[in-house]
Amino acid sequence: MTRHVPIRDTATADPMIVMADVEKWYGGFKALSAINLSVRRGERIVLCGPSGSGKSTLIRCINRLEVCQKGEIRVGGTRLDDDGHSIDAVRREVGMVFQHFNLFPHMTVLQNCMLAPMRALKVSRREAEETARRLLDRVRISEQADKYPAQLSGGQQQRVAIARALCMRPSVMLFDEPTSALDPEMVKEVLDTMIGLAEEGMTMICVTHEMGFARQVADRVIFMAEGSIVEEAPPDTFFTQPRHERTRKFLGEILRPY
Amino acid sequence: MGLGEFLFLLTGLKWTVALSAIGFVCGAIGGLAIALMRTSGMRPLERLAAGYIALFQGTPLLMQLFVVYYGLALVGLRLSAWVAVSIGFTLHASAYLGEIWRGSIEAVPRGQTEAASALNLKYVSRMKDVVLPQAIRISLPATVGFLVQLIKGTSLASIVGFTELARAGNIVSNQIFQPLLVFGIVGILYFLMCWPLSLYGSHLERRFAVASR
């Protein structure tokens, strides 16, 4: 696949997200061990690995949907801790898109997009509606604004979910397997939307198995297994010269032609 | 049965409606508090709410009314029958509605709360805007069902001398010695209250189902 989005040189940019020695257990099960990760402003990361390797857990720690027991997480200069203010400051910066969309089913598409800006950012109804309509237009779904989520296809719902997250003006977007629950013919419309975001300079961490997307968009691909980061490299290196046996095996499995 | 007796029954009916309304409205407020405590994630609050629910679901309503009416009088709190049964029904309804709504809140998919949290919505907004509207929809059949039970349950208030529909029927029947006729009419009056409610409940359920489809 050709690469439309040039690798961005973010070497001089300040770190947007820093995870230092992060560990997380579920009871006796160690879900994340010694995670060290630094994401610079504007960087686009693709996180991949077999299921149960801790990819989702890792990004869910960043906006504190999961609480890690050890280590430090900083987002845009804020250190995440139990204090509500730090959680508030971090969630202000970070938008998230889920595998199962998680749109609010009792609200229209427009209401889905207006709720959080009005409640959390305290913007006026008019301003919230303007922003919502603009962003729905950007994900090319403005004509569905007054429908309910269940009236839309999966791909449309996921694009609404992206617009809803963007309405909060985040500086980082987390994607948790955004295309895994979609029918194959709908994957492209969602990926195109994400590529558009990447082109505009959004800092992104995407948990995905769409390796074409990784090749095209990622500045860095990170491979995880059993709760640890095994390998990280620019996509070219990652796909052509993986260093670890575990990575080679994984790539062999997901890239195998039928 | 003359007009006077029938009007007396209607006065009883009025108090049945009033008592049901008070029990339901105050019980809804208490029940919401119980349901929120029960799902708060804070252990002491959850235990307290669970204990309250267990106590009131595990004892007969009749006994609860006795305890409120005679028990509080024993410790020096002399309440009128009216206030006592209102308190009794409120406590009773709080426990049942609390348990119904706890189940409904927990039935709302976890992803909804997570999406709301990720959008930086705080607890009050997460509940008020996201979880409760969906939980109410889920709880509707059970809630209306309980309201119907509550209306019929108000007949127990007659035991502490509160003249609602059942006791009014008893009084009239003792005067005119036509128990079958009197209690037949009383039964019809109860039915006319409860049946439309059940219909309304299924109507709402259908309407919500369409909206969320």
Side-chain angles (χ1 to χ4, degrees):
Chain A
M1 185 183 293
T2 52
R3 182 164 176 113
H4 298 299
V5 186
I7 293 263
R8 191 175 291 143
D9 180 16
T10 52
T12 54
D14 39 325
M16 185 69 219
I17 297 172
V18 178
M19 300 178 87
D21 284 318
V22 169
E23 298 198 349
K24 169 156 187 70
W25 288 267
Y26 292 110
F29 175 73
K30 199 171 191 179
L32 292 178
S33 56
I35 298 292
N36 285 288
L37 175 66
S38 175
V39 180
R40 292 182 294 272
R41 199 173 286 278
E43 208 176 4
R44 294 150 306 206
I45 307 275
V46 161
L47 207 54
C48 60
S51 65
S53 59
K55 315 170 295 270
S56 292
T57 308
L58 189 154
I59 65 168
R60 288 162 59 89
C61 284
I62 294 173
N63 65 350
R64 201 140 169 127
L65 288 185
E66 305 281 354
V67 182
C68 64
Q69 284 93 352
K70 214 183 130 213
E72 188 178 292
I73 300 176
R74 282 175 179 278
V75 179
T78 307
R79 184 179 186 278
L80 252 185
D81 52 33
D82 294 329
D83 179 35
H85 294 291
S86 83
I87 299 172
D88 180 78
V90 166
R91 287 182 177 165
R92 221 175 263 264
E93 298 289 321
V94 180
M96 188 170 208
V97 173
F98 298 85
Q99 181 176 2
H100 297 287
F101 331 132
N102 298 355
L103 294 176
F104 306 135
H106 58 297
M107 295 183 192
T108 63
V109 162
L110 191 64
Q111 289 166 341
N112 262 279
C113 293
M114 289 169 60
L115 176 66
M118 285 167 60
R119 293 283 188 271
L121 302 178
K122 310 276 181 223
V123 308
S124 69
R125 173 171 288 276
R126 232 193 68 218
E127 194 186 333
E129 181 169 344
E130 261 170 42
T131 312
R133 289 205 186 271
R134 186 163 46 78
L135 289 164
L136 286 171
D137 196 43
R138 176 162 150 192
V139 300
R140 289 173 295 105
I141 204 153
S142 44
E143 71 283 0
Q144 316 279 7
D146 296 317
K147 290 197 177 161
Y148 285 89
Q151 297 170 294
L152 306 184
S153 74
Q156 290 173 322
Q157 289 192 49
Q158 194 59 298
R159 285 187 282 143
V160 171
I162 293 172
R164 178 176 72 173
L166 292 177
C167 284
M168 292 294 284
R169 294 179 242 130
S171 38
V172 185
M173 283 285 282
L174 308 174
F175 291 86
D176 190 0
E177 306 210 24
T179 56
S180 302
L182 296 177
D183 291 334
E185 76 270 20
M186 291 167 189
V187 170
K188 188 174 178 301
E189 63 185 70
V190 171
L191 290 181
D192 284 346
T193 308
M194 292 168 64
I195 291 169
L197 261 186
E199 281 168 344
E200 287 167 35
M202 177 65 76
T203 311
M204 294 164 70
I205 303 182
C206 313
V207 173
T208 182
H209 291 139
E210 295 293 334
M211 291 301 125
F213 174 79
R215 279 208 181 94
Q216 196 172 339
V217 167
D219 299 307
R220 210 168 6 140
V221 181
I222 295 178
F223 174 70
M224 286 184 74
E226 285 152 20
S228 305
I229 292 177
V230 175
E231 181 156 357
E232 49 179 299
D236 277 349
T237 326
F238 183 84
F239 289 110
T240 53
Q241 303 148 27
R243 278 173 298 141
H244 291 83
E245 179 53 36
R246 194 79 185 73
T247 317
R248 278 196 285 274
K249 187 161 165 279
F250 175 75
L251 286 176
E253 274 159 14
I254 65 165
L255 298 176
R256 182 193 312 149
Y258 286 94
Chain B
M1 187 165 71
L3 183 64
E5 280 90 15
F6 186 67
L7 286 180
F8 186 68
L9 286 186
L10 288 189
T11 314
L13 176 71
K14 185 180 79 185
W15 292 117
T16 290
V17 171
L19 185 55
S20 305
I22 287 184
F24 189 71
V25 171
C26 298
I29 296 167
L32 182 62
I34 293 289
L36 290 178
M37 280 167 71
R38 192 79 177 78
T39 54
S40 65
M42 280 176 268
R43 264 292 166 78
L45 283 185
E46 288 185 357
R47 292 241 169 99
L48 193 67
Y52 179 85
I53 292 169
L55 182 68
F56 279 87
Q57 286 197 337
T59 53
L61 175 57
L62 188 57
M63 197 217 74
Q64 293 161 15
L65 293 176
F66 274 145
V67 168
V68 173
Y69 188 64
Y70 296 113
L72 290 184
L74 272 182
V75 295
L77 217 70
R78 208 163 280 281
L79 302 172
S80 70
W82 179 221
V83 175
V85 293
S86 296
I87 292 176
F89 276 95
T90 297
L91 294 175
H92 175 78
S94 298
Y96 276 85
L97 290 175
E99 181 68 355
I100 290 171
W101 292 343
R102 175 206 54 86
S104 315
I105 287 172
E106 285 174 355
V108 175
R110 218 183 132 73
Q112 293 290 311
T113 311
E114 287 181 351
S117 299
L119 286 164
N120 208 6
L121 294 177
K122 305 299 184 301
Y123 178 78
V124 172
S125 172
R126 282 203 302 264
M127 278 297 163
K128 179 171 70 75
D129 298 316
V130 177
V131 176
L132 289 179
Q134 299 183 59
I136 285 171
R137 185 169 310 173
I138 295 169
S139 79
L140 219 53
T143 303
V144 172
F146 174 72
L147 177 57
V148 170
Q149 291 294 324
L150 191 71
I151 291 173
K152 292 185 284 185
T154 53
S155 60
L156 291 175
S158 58
I159 209 78
V160 294
F162 183 77
T163 309
E164 41 62 69
L165 183 52
R167 188 169 144 87
N170 209 4
I171 292 170
V172 172
S173 155
N174 286 343
Q175 282 172 352
I176 64 175
F177 307 113
Q178 287 176 305
L180 209 58
L181 173 70
V182 173
F183 284 111
I185 291 172
V186 166
I188 288 170
L189 289 175
Y190 273 113
F191 182 79
L192 288 179
M193 277 189 290
C194 296
W195 186 55
L197 260 180
S198 301
L199 286 185
Y200 181 61
S202 31
H203 164 73
L204 280 180
E205 196 185 343
R206 266 198 311 277
R207 208 186 66 192
F208 280 138
V210 169
S212 66
R213 199 181 296 146

